[in-house]
Amino acid sequence: MGEGRRFAGVDWASEEHAVCVVDEDGRIVEGRRYAHDERGIAALCARLLGVGVELVAIERPDGLVIDRLLDAGLSVIAVHPNQVVAMRPRFSAAGGKSDNFDAFVLAELARTDSHRFRILVPDSDRTKALRAITRAREDLVGARVALGNELRAQLECFWPGASKIFAEVDSPIALAFLARYPSPADARGLGEQRLASFLARQGYSGRRTPGELLSRLRGAAEGRAGELESKARRQIVLALLAGLQPLVTQISDLTRQLRAALEDHPDADTFRSLFIDPKSVVCAATLLAEIGDSRERYPTYRALAADGGQAPVAVESGKSKRARFRWACDHRLRDAIATMADASRHHNPWAADIYTRARARGATHQHAVRILGRAWCQVIWRLWHDHTTYDPDQHTARQRLTAATT
C-alpha cells in the first residue's frame, strides 16, 4: 500500500477532520474522518505516514493540526480557502459542497499544483511564543475597546462629564475615578481640594490641574435621568468597570511579557531598528511575530508585500486595467506595516517624500500609507534576510534624496 506517490487533503474543523488520500493518477485511495482529540490526531498522522503520503494540503497555515503534521515529518502546504472555492467547479459542475469533497479538492491541489504553493516551515519556539503573546494582547485590547465604548455610551446617557474629564475613558486614572464616583450623586460634594487629593493618591501624572479637570466634568451637558434610571445606570457602570479593570491590568502584564520576549529574540534588533522610539515594542514585536524567522517563507520582497496587504491586486479585462485593494492577506501584518510606515513619514525624509508624492497623485491617506508600506517591505525584507539593522546612513534611496535636497 506504500507503493507509488500519495497526496492528502485535510479539511479541518473544530470537532472532526475529513481526510482524503489520492494516488499519483488522482484515484482516491481512501477517505476517512478523524476526531479532533489526541487519539484522532495521532491516528491521522500515523495513517498518512503509513500510506506513504508525500504532501498534505490544508486550508490554514498554523494551528495544532499543522504543528502535529509537521512534527510527524510530513510536508504540508497551506491553501487559501478562496482557492479551494475557486477549484470546486473543476471537479463538479453541480455546485455541491461537503467536507469530504473539499478534502478531495485539497488532495488534488497537492497532487497537481504543489509547485504553486510554499511548503510550510515551522518557526522557532521563540517566534511562536512571541506570536502567541502579540495575538493574545491584540484580542484583549479589542475586548477593552468594546467595553470602553459601552462605558462611554452609558455615561453619555446620564453623566457626560465623566466621559470627558480624562482623555481616555478606559485609562487607569479614569477607571479609578469612576470606581470612586460612578454617578453624579456620588460626585455631588466633589471639589478641587478633594479631587486634588484623589489625583495624588492615584499618582496622576497628567498636565491638567484639578481645576481644569473639574471644569471639564461640570462643563459638559447635564443628564436628566430619573432616580431609578440613574441607580440602574450606576450599577451598569460598576459592572463594566469590573470587566475593564482586570483587562487593563492584564494588557499591561502582557506588554511587559512581550517586551521581554522580543528582547530575547535573535531578530529583535532588526525590527526595533525600524522605529525611532525605543519604546515601540508592540508594533516591532507584531512585525517579527507575523513575518516569522523562516527566510524561505518570503523568497522576494514582493511576496512579503503581498502577504502583508501592501501590494494591490491587478484586475484586467480587455482594455480595462485597474488595481484593487488586497483583502486576502495577513491582516495583523498589514496593520503592523501600515502603523510603522505611517509613523516613519514623520521622521524619515525618504518615507515622507514617498507619502507626499502619493498624496499629490490623488491617493487617499490610507492608500498613500500602503504605497509607503510597500516601499518599506523591500527594506524590511533585505534587513531580515541579511540579519542586520536599519541604518539611515546606509539607506541609498534616503541618502540620494538628502543629497538632492541640500
Side-chain angles (χ1 to χ4, degrees):
M1 195 160 184
E3 296 178 0
R5 304 173 68 194
R6 299 284 190 269
F7 304 88
V10 178
D11 186 71
W12 68 276
S14 59
E15 299 293 334
E16 191 177 50
H17 311 296
V19 180
C20 179
V21 179
V22 300
D23 62 18
E24 57 189 358
D25 295 321
R27 290 187 294 266
I28 296 177
V29 175
E30 67 176 39
R32 295 189 180 186
R33 288 176 175 264
Y34 296 87
H36 186 69
D37 54 27
E38 178 55 32
R39 183 178 178 182
I41 293 175
L44 164 62
C45 295
R47 186 58 182 168
L48 294 181
L49 290 172
V51 298
V53 166
E54 181 178 305
L55 188 64
V56 181
I58 192 168
E59 285 182 282
R60 61 177 302 168
D62 54 20
L64 188 147
V65 176
I66 303 295
D67 291 341
R68 293 296 294 271
L69 291 172
L70 293 173
D71 189 59
L74 292 159
S75 295
V76 182
I77 58 174
V79 181
H80 195 279
N82 290 349
Q83 293 172 303
V84 177
V85 172
M87 289 299 294
R88 286 177 191 149
R90 177 178 174 182
F91 305 101
S92 174
K97 194 270 181 196
S98 69
D99 295 342
N100 291 334
F101 180 62
D102 281 355
F104 168 72
V105 172
L106 286 163
E108 279 293 281
L109 284 172
R111 182 179 71 90
T112 63
D113 295 83
S114 61
H115 60 288
R116 301 185 186 279
F117 302 95
R118 292 192 309 269
I119 293 179
L120 296 179
V121 179
D123 287 310
S124 67
D125 193 39
R126 282 192 178 95
T127 300
K128 290 180 180 179
L130 187 63
R131 185 180 300 133
I133 297 172
T134 57
R135 291 184 177 183
R137 183 188 180 280
E138 181 184 3
D139 291 341
L140 289 184
V141 169
R144 185 197 71 187
V145 170
L147 284 176
N149 289 339
E150 179 62 28
L151 177 60
R152 185 179 292 105
Q154 288 294 332
L155 293 173
E156 289 290 344
C157 289
F158 82 118
W159 196 20
S163 67
K164 295 178 172 59
I165 183 171
F166 299 105
E168 300 291 340
V169 74
D170 57 358
S171 64
I173 184 64
L175 295 179
F177 177 82
L178 289 170
R180 176 65 181 84
Y181 306 105
S183 72
D186 295 292
R188 190 169 295 141
L190 182 64
E192 280 193 41
Q193 186 175 357
R194 185 171 294 180
L195 180 59
S197 299
F198 168 81
L199 296 175
R201 289 195 303 272
Q202 297 297 325
Y204 176 66
S205 58
R207 292 176 293 180
R208 304 295 180 184
T209 65
E212 290 176 304
L213 294 175
L214 202 58
S215 65
R216 282 186 182 184
L217 180 68
R218 293 174 175 171
E222 293 184 9
R224 285 293 182 265
E227 181 181 358
L228 293 179
E229 181 187 357
S230 184
K231 287 182 178 180
R233 292 193 182 278
R234 179 183 186 276
Q235 292 303 313
I236 295 172
V237 168
L238 291 174
L240 291 171
L241 289 177
L244 266 169
Q245 288 173 322
L247 270 179
V248 172
T249 301
Q250 291 304 316
I251 289 171
S252 298
D253 291 343
L254 278 178
T255 303
R256 285 192 290 270
Q257 294 178 38
L258 185 149
R259 182 177 288 107
L262 178 63
E263 291 175 353
D264 189 48
H265 199 285
D267 288 328
D269 290 342
T270 295
F271 289 91
R272 293 188 72 167
S273 69
L274 298 168
F275 299 87
I276 193 170
D277 184 359
K279 296 181 181 179
S280 300
V281 296
V282 174
C283 190
T286 303
L287 282 170
L288 174 50
E290 296 303 322
I291 292 175
D293 51 23
S294 173
R295 268 61 181 178
E296 294 84 0
R297 180 173 295 129
Y298 300 114
T300 67
Y301 81 89
R302 292 180 179 84
L304 174 61
D307 198 36
Q310 305 304 302
V313 177
V315 180
E316 297 185 18
S317 178
K319 295 181 180 180
S320 173
K321 296 182 180 180
R322 60 189 178 90
R324 191 181 66 189
F325 180 76
R326 184 181 293 270
W327 293 100
C329 65
D330 183 336
H331 291 192
R332 293 183 178 91
L333 180 56
R334 179 176 66 193
D335 292 344
I337 294 175
T339 299
M340 186 274 295
D342 191 27
S344 70
R345 67 186 177 89
H346 297 289
H347 62 82
N348 189 313
W350 166 77
D353 178 65
I354 292 176
Y355 175 85
T356 302
R357 286 190 286 113
R359 292 284 281 164
R361 294 194 299 270
T364 63
H365 166 72
Q366 292 83 0
H367 187 191
V369 168
R370 289 195 299 274
I371 291 172
L372 176 56
R374 186 163 68 250
W376 269 116
C377 282
Q378 188 170 2
V379 176
I380 295 170
W381 182 86
R382 186 73 273 165
L383 298 174
W384 180 57
H385 270 264
D386 291 347
H387 300 273
T388 188
T389 58
Y390 178 70
D391 182 356
D393 294 333
Q394 300 296 321
H395 190 172
T396 305
R398 172 172 171 161
Q399 295 305 312
R400 189 184 302 121
L401 175 67
T402 303
T405 56
T406 55

